[in-house]
PDB file of all heavy atoms in Angstrom:
ATOM      1  N   ASP A   1       0.746  -1.152  -0.004  1.00  0.00           N
ATOM      2  CA  ASP A   1      -0.017  -0.013   0.007  1.00  0.00           C
ATOM      3  C   ASP A   1       0.871   1.237  -0.073  1.00  0.00           C
ATOM      4  O   ASP A   1       0.361   2.339   0.399  1.00  0.00           O
ATOM      5  CB  ASP A   1      -0.937   0.002   1.139  1.00  0.00           C
ATOM      6  CG  ASP A   1      -2.112  -1.021   1.044  1.00  0.00           C
ATOM      7  OD1 ASP A   1      -2.323  -1.463  -0.163  1.00  0.00           O
ATOM      8  OD2 ASP A   1      -2.780  -1.323   1.948  1.00  0.00           O
ATOM      9  N   ASP A   2       2.113   1.218  -0.470  1.00  0.00           N
ATOM     10  CA  ASP A   2       2.872   2.385  -0.675  1.00  0.00           C
ATOM     11  C   ASP A   2       2.518   2.862  -2.123  1.00  0.00           C
ATOM     12  O   ASP A   2       2.364   2.095  -3.019  1.00  0.00           O
ATOM     13  CB  ASP A   2       4.256   2.033  -0.629  1.00  0.00           C
ATOM     14  CG  ASP A   2       4.901   1.575   0.689  1.00  0.00           C
ATOM     15  OD1 ASP A   2       4.389   2.188   1.739  1.00  0.00           O
ATOM     16  OD2 ASP A   2       5.578   0.613   0.805  1.00  0.00           O
ATOM     17  N   THR A   3       2.448   4.269  -2.162  1.00  0.00           N
ATOM     18  CA  THR A   3       2.114   4.804  -3.493  1.00  0.00           C
ATOM     19  C   THR A   3       3.244   5.547  -4.019  1.00  0.00           C
ATOM     20  O   THR A   3       4.070   6.351  -3.452  1.00  0.00           O
ATOM     21  CB  THR A   3       0.960   5.910  -3.290  1.00  0.00           C
ATOM     22  OG1 THR A   3      -0.095   5.223  -2.625  1.00  0.00           O
ATOM     23  CG2 THR A   3       0.575   6.540  -4.622  1.00  0.00           C
ATOM     24  N   THR A   4       3.432   5.239  -5.414  1.00  0.00           N
ATOM     25  CA  THR A   4       4.382   5.902  -6.259  1.00  0.00           C
ATOM     26  C   THR A   4       3.636   6.817  -7.363  1.00  0.00           C
ATOM     27  O   THR A   4       2.823   6.192  -8.015  1.00  0.00           O
ATOM     28  CB  THR A   4       5.296   4.919  -6.867  1.00  0.00           C
ATOM     29  OG1 THR A   4       5.967   4.169  -5.902  1.00  0.00           O
ATOM     30  CG2 THR A   4       6.369   5.597  -7.751  1.00  0.00           C
ATOM     31  N   TYR A   5       3.920   7.927  -7.467  1.00  0.00           N
ATOM     32  CA  TYR A   5       3.300   8.853  -8.415  1.00  0.00           C
ATOM     33  C   TYR A   5       4.178   8.825  -9.648  1.00  0.00           C
ATOM     34  O   TYR A   5       5.444   9.142  -9.543  1.00  0.00           O
ATOM     35  CB  TYR A   5       3.125  10.288  -7.763  1.00  0.00           C
ATOM     36  CG  TYR A   5       1.967  10.215  -6.858  1.00  0.00           C
ATOM     37  CD1 TYR A   5       2.317  10.164  -5.475  1.00  0.00           C
ATOM     38  CD2 TYR A   5       0.686  10.421  -7.211  1.00  0.00           C
ATOM     39  CE1 TYR A   5       1.273  10.163  -4.536  1.00  0.00           C
ATOM     40  CE2 TYR A   5      -0.266  10.420  -6.258  1.00  0.00           C
ATOM     41  CZ  TYR A   5      -0.055  10.392  -4.912  1.00  0.00           C
ATOM     42  OH  TYR A   5      -0.998  10.395  -3.974  1.00  0.00           O
ATOM     43  N   TYR A   6       3.680   8.682 -10.810  1.00  0.00           N
ATOM     44  CA  TYR A   6       4.366   8.671 -12.026  1.00  0.00           C
ATOM     45  C   TYR A   6       4.129   9.938 -12.805  1.00  0.00           C
ATOM     46  O   TYR A   6       4.933  10.388 -13.699  1.00  0.00           O
ATOM     47  CB  TYR A   6       4.047   7.547 -12.925  1.00  0.00           C
ATOM     48  CG  TYR A   6       4.354   6.182 -12.298  1.00  0.00           C
ATOM     49  CD1 TYR A   6       3.460   5.245 -12.265  1.00  0.00           C
ATOM     50  CD2 TYR A   6       5.667   5.989 -11.801  1.00  0.00           C
ATOM     51  CE1 TYR A   6       3.736   3.969 -11.606  1.00  0.00           C
ATOM     52  CE2 TYR A   6       5.930   4.810 -11.324  1.00  0.00           C
ATOM     53  CZ  TYR A   6       4.983   3.754 -11.203  1.00  0.00           C
ATOM     54  OH  TYR A   6       5.361   2.478 -10.660  1.00  0.00           O
ATOM     55  N   THR A   7       3.145  10.679 -12.453  1.00  0.00           N
ATOM     56  CA  THR A   7       2.709  11.949 -12.964  1.00  0.00           C
ATOM     57  C   THR A   7       2.582  13.027 -11.885  1.00  0.00           C
ATOM     58  O   THR A   7       1.847  12.921 -11.044  1.00  0.00           O
ATOM     59  CB  THR A   7       1.417  11.866 -13.790  1.00  0.00           C
ATOM     60  OG1 THR A   7       1.372  10.966 -14.798  1.00  0.00           O
ATOM     61  CG2 THR A   7       1.087  13.240 -14.422  1.00  0.00           C
ATOM     62  N   ASP A   8       3.611  13.951 -12.001  1.00  0.00           N
ATOM     63  CA  ASP A   8       3.655  14.958 -10.911  1.00  0.00           C
ATOM     64  C   ASP A   8       2.428  15.812 -10.831  1.00  0.00           C
ATOM     65  O   ASP A   8       1.998  16.327  -9.702  1.00  0.00           O
ATOM     66  CB  ASP A   8       4.840  15.982 -11.205  1.00  0.00           C
ATOM     67  CG  ASP A   8       6.164  15.324 -10.934  1.00  0.00           C
ATOM     68  OD1 ASP A   8       6.226  14.241 -10.240  1.00  0.00           O
ATOM     69  OD2 ASP A   8       7.180  15.927 -11.582  1.00  0.00           O
ATOM     70  N   SER A   9       1.683  16.056 -11.957  1.00  0.00           N
ATOM     71  CA  SER A   9       0.506  16.886 -11.917  1.00  0.00           C
ATOM     72  C   SER A   9      -0.656  16.313 -11.063  1.00  0.00           C
ATOM     73  O   SER A   9      -1.634  17.063 -10.733  1.00  0.00           O
ATOM     74  CB  SER A   9       0.017  17.063 -13.391  1.00  0.00           C
ATOM     75  OG  SER A   9      -0.446  15.971 -13.942  1.00  0.00           O
ATOM     76  N   VAL A  10      -0.647  15.048 -10.667  1.00  0.00           N
ATOM     77  CA  VAL A  10      -1.606  14.455  -9.887  1.00  0.00           C
ATOM     78  C   VAL A  10      -1.436  14.328  -8.492  1.00  0.00           C
ATOM     79  O   VAL A  10      -2.291  14.023  -7.602  1.00  0.00           O
ATOM     80  CB  VAL A  10      -2.129  13.011 -10.381  1.00  0.00           C
ATOM     81  CG1 VAL A  10      -2.459  13.128 -11.920  1.00  0.00           C
ATOM     82  CG2 VAL A  10      -0.998  12.054 -10.083  1.00  0.00           C
ATOM     83  N   LYS A  11      -0.102  14.689  -8.043  1.00  0.00           N
ATOM     84  CA  LYS A  11       0.195  14.687  -6.643  1.00  0.00           C
ATOM     85  C   LYS A  11      -0.623  15.649  -5.845  1.00  0.00           C
ATOM     86  O   LYS A  11      -0.805  16.779  -6.197  1.00  0.00           O
ATOM     87  CB  LYS A  11       1.672  14.972  -6.482  1.00  0.00           C
ATOM     88  CG  LYS A  11       2.695  13.851  -6.934  1.00  0.00           C
ATOM     89  CD  LYS A  11       4.150  14.413  -6.789  1.00  0.00           C
ATOM     90  CE  LYS A  11       5.127  13.315  -7.214  1.00  0.00           C
ATOM     91  NZ  LYS A  11       6.416  13.714  -7.026  1.00  0.00           N
ATOM     92  N   GLY A  12      -1.101  15.178  -4.723  1.00  0.00           N
ATOM     93  CA  GLY A  12      -1.958  16.021  -3.880  1.00  0.00           C
ATOM     94  C   GLY A  12      -3.421  16.071  -4.297  1.00  0.00           C
ATOM     95  O   GLY A  12      -4.278  16.489  -3.514  1.00  0.00           O
ATOM     96  N   ARG A  13      -3.758  15.384  -5.472  1.00  0.00           N
ATOM     97  CA  ARG A  13      -5.102  15.258  -6.015  1.00  0.00           C
ATOM     98  C   ARG A  13      -5.664  13.932  -6.168  1.00  0.00           C
ATOM     99  O   ARG A  13      -6.817  13.643  -5.938  1.00  0.00           O
ATOM    100  CB  ARG A  13      -5.223  16.048  -7.349  1.00  0.00           C
ATOM    101  CG  ARG A  13      -4.761  17.443  -7.307  1.00  0.00           C
ATOM    102  CD  ARG A  13      -5.091  18.218  -8.557  1.00  0.00           C
ATOM    103  NE  ARG A  13      -4.423  17.603  -9.684  1.00  0.00           N
ATOM    104  CZ  ARG A  13      -5.002  17.048 -10.785  1.00  0.00           C
ATOM    105  NH1 ARG A  13      -6.326  17.018 -10.930  1.00  0.00           N
ATOM    106  NH2 ARG A  13      -4.231  16.581 -11.778  1.00  0.00           N
ATOM    107  N   PHE A  14      -4.803  12.971  -6.514  1.00  0.00           N
ATOM    108  CA  PHE A  14      -5.171  11.647  -6.706  1.00  0.00           C
ATOM    109  C   PHE A  14      -4.640  10.729  -5.663  1.00  0.00           C
ATOM    110  O   PHE A  14      -3.435  10.782  -5.211  1.00  0.00           O
ATOM    111  CB  PHE A  14      -4.685  11.113  -8.120  1.00  0.00           C
ATOM    112  CG  PHE A  14      -5.383  11.641  -9.273  1.00  0.00           C
ATOM    113  CD1 PHE A  14      -6.130  12.836  -9.246  1.00  0.00           C
ATOM    114  CD2 PHE A  14      -5.090  11.141 -10.492  1.00  0.00           C
ATOM    115  CE1 PHE A  14      -6.827  13.330 -10.372  1.00  0.00           C
ATOM    116  CE2 PHE A  14      -5.662  11.602 -11.763  1.00  0.00           C
ATOM    117  CZ  PHE A  14      -6.529  12.727 -11.508  1.00  0.00           C
ATOM    118  N   THR A  15      -5.397   9.739  -5.029  1.00  0.00           N
ATOM    119  CA  THR A  15      -4.888   8.731  -4.281  1.00  0.00           C
ATOM    120  C   THR A  15      -5.514   7.416  -4.609  1.00  0.00           C
ATOM    121  O   THR A  15      -6.630   7.368  -5.137  1.00  0.00           O
ATOM    122  CB  THR A  15      -5.189   9.167  -2.820  1.00  0.00           C
ATOM    123  OG1 THR A  15      -6.719   9.372  -2.597  1.00  0.00           O
ATOM    124  CG2 THR A  15      -4.458  10.322  -2.258  1.00  0.00           C
ATOM    125  N   SER A  16      -4.905   6.352  -4.225  1.00  0.00           N
ATOM    126  CA  SER A  16      -5.433   4.996  -4.472  1.00  0.00           C
ATOM    127  C   SER A  16      -5.496   4.226  -3.131  1.00  0.00           C
ATOM    128  O   SER A  16      -4.707   4.511  -2.204  1.00  0.00           O
ATOM    129  CB  SER A  16      -4.617   4.268  -5.482  1.00  0.00           C
ATOM    130  OG  SER A  16      -5.168   3.058  -5.753  1.00  0.00           O
ATOM    131  N   SER A  17      -6.445   3.382  -2.989  1.00  0.00           N
ATOM    132  CA  SER A  17      -6.714   2.589  -1.873  1.00  0.00           C
ATOM    133  C   SER A  17      -7.199   1.182  -2.245  1.00  0.00           C
ATOM    134  O   SER A  17      -7.677   1.066  -3.330  1.00  0.00           O
ATOM    135  CB  SER A  17      -7.665   3.338  -0.945  1.00  0.00           C
ATOM    136  OG  SER A  17      -8.817   3.535  -1.394  1.00  0.00           O
ATOM    137  N   ARG A  18      -7.136   0.271  -1.211  1.00  0.00           N
ATOM    138  CA  ARG A  18      -7.711  -0.951  -1.524  1.00  0.00           C
ATOM    139  C   ARG A  18      -8.852  -1.349  -0.354  1.00  0.00           C
ATOM    140  O   ARG A  18      -8.811  -0.736   0.662  1.00  0.00           O
ATOM    141  CB  ARG A  18      -6.572  -2.033  -1.174  1.00  0.00           C
ATOM    142  CG  ARG A  18      -5.399  -1.980  -2.137  1.00  0.00           C
ATOM    143  CD  ARG A  18      -4.329  -2.974  -1.652  1.00  0.00           C
ATOM    144  NE  ARG A  18      -3.169  -2.880  -2.499  1.00  0.00           N
ATOM    145  CZ  ARG A  18      -2.869  -3.640  -3.503  1.00  0.00           C
ATOM    146  NH1 ARG A  18      -3.575  -4.603  -3.773  1.00  0.00           N
ATOM    147  NH2 ARG A  18      -1.710  -3.568  -4.151  1.00  0.00           N
ATOM    148  N   ASP A  19      -9.668  -2.154  -0.924  1.00  0.00           N
ATOM    149  CA  ASP A  19     -10.742  -2.790   0.009  1.00  0.00           C
ATOM    150  C   ASP A  19     -10.610  -4.240  -0.273  1.00  0.00           C
ATOM    151  O   ASP A  19     -11.253  -4.801  -1.302  1.00  0.00           O
ATOM    152  CB  ASP A  19     -12.165  -2.236  -0.284  1.00  0.00           C
ATOM    153  CG  ASP A  19     -13.124  -2.742   0.751  1.00  0.00           C
ATOM    154  OD1 ASP A  19     -12.942  -3.822   1.352  1.00  0.00           O
ATOM    155  OD2 ASP A  19     -14.164  -2.070   0.780  1.00  0.00           O
ATOM    156  N   ASN A  20      -9.845  -4.882   0.563  1.00  0.00           N
ATOM    157  CA  ASN A  20      -9.574  -6.424   0.382  1.00  0.00           C
ATOM    158  C   ASN A  20     -10.891  -7.255   0.444  1.00  0.00           C
ATOM    159  O   ASN A  20     -11.039  -8.158  -0.203  1.00  0.00           O
ATOM    160  CB  ASN A  20      -8.607  -6.893   1.337  1.00  0.00           C
ATOM    161  CG  ASN A  20      -7.205  -6.341   1.127  1.00  0.00           C
ATOM    162  OD1 ASN A  20      -6.852  -5.993  -0.059  1.00  0.00           O
ATOM    163  ND2 ASN A  20      -6.459  -6.164   2.077  1.00  0.00           N
ATOM    164  N   ALA A  21     -11.856  -6.847   1.261  1.00  0.00           N
ATOM    165  CA  ALA A  21     -12.970  -7.534   1.393  1.00  0.00           C
ATOM    166  C   ALA A  21     -13.797  -7.614   0.112  1.00  0.00           C
ATOM    167  O   ALA A  21     -14.563  -8.502  -0.188  1.00  0.00           O
ATOM    168  CB  ALA A  21     -13.970  -6.917   2.515  1.00  0.00           C
ATOM    169  N   LYS A  22     -13.773  -6.481  -0.599  1.00  0.00           N
ATOM    170  CA  LYS A  22     -14.494  -6.385  -1.919  1.00  0.00           C
ATOM    171  C   LYS A  22     -13.522  -6.619  -3.093  1.00  0.00           C
ATOM    172  O   LYS A  22     -13.979  -6.612  -4.188  1.00  0.00           O
ATOM    173  CB  LYS A  22     -15.010  -5.017  -2.107  1.00  0.00           C
ATOM    174  CG  LYS A  22     -16.017  -4.685  -1.088  1.00  0.00           C
ATOM    175  CD  LYS A  22     -16.662  -3.283  -1.306  1.00  0.00           C
ATOM    176  CE  LYS A  22     -17.633  -2.955  -0.307  1.00  0.00           C
ATOM    177  NZ  LYS A  22     -18.247  -1.550  -0.528  1.00  0.00           N
ATOM    178  N   ASN A  23     -12.298  -6.993  -2.860  1.00  0.00           N
ATOM    179  CA  ASN A  23     -11.336  -7.371  -3.856  1.00  0.00           C
ATOM    180  C   ASN A  23     -11.199  -6.198  -4.985  1.00  0.00           C
ATOM    181  O   ASN A  23     -11.191  -6.393  -6.058  1.00  0.00           O
ATOM    182  CB  ASN A  23     -11.530  -8.668  -4.631  1.00  0.00           C
ATOM    183  CG  ASN A  23     -10.391  -9.377  -5.151  1.00  0.00           C
ATOM    184  OD1 ASN A  23      -9.200  -9.070  -4.498  1.00  0.00           O
ATOM    185  ND2 ASN A  23     -10.503 -10.207  -6.169  1.00  0.00           N
ATOM    186  N   THR A  24     -11.217  -4.940  -4.372  1.00  0.00           N
ATOM    187  CA  THR A  24     -11.420  -3.787  -5.172  1.00  0.00           C
ATOM    188  C   THR A  24     -10.239  -2.782  -4.874  1.00  0.00           C
ATOM    189  O   THR A  24      -9.966  -2.587  -3.644  1.00  0.00           O
ATOM    190  CB  THR A  24     -12.770  -3.233  -4.916  1.00  0.00           C
ATOM    191  OG1 THR A  24     -13.801  -4.095  -5.309  1.00  0.00           O
ATOM    192  CG2 THR A  24     -12.859  -1.890  -5.775  1.00  0.00           C
TER     193      THR A  24
END
């Protein structure tokens, strides 16, 4: 669950997360 940003323009605006119970 470590995040690496490949596009600087989305830093501070986009985040990703997991819900293992929903496999999503």
Side-chain angles (χ1 to χ4, degrees):
D1 289 342
D2 299 318
T3 299
T4 300
Y5 289 91
Y6 299 129
T7 301
D8 288 341
S9 65
V10 307
K11 291 181 178 179
R13 301 189 297 120
F14 290 12
T15 57
S16 187
S17 61
R18 299 174 184 263
D19 186 337
N20 291 331
K22 297 180 179 179
N23 210 24
T24 299

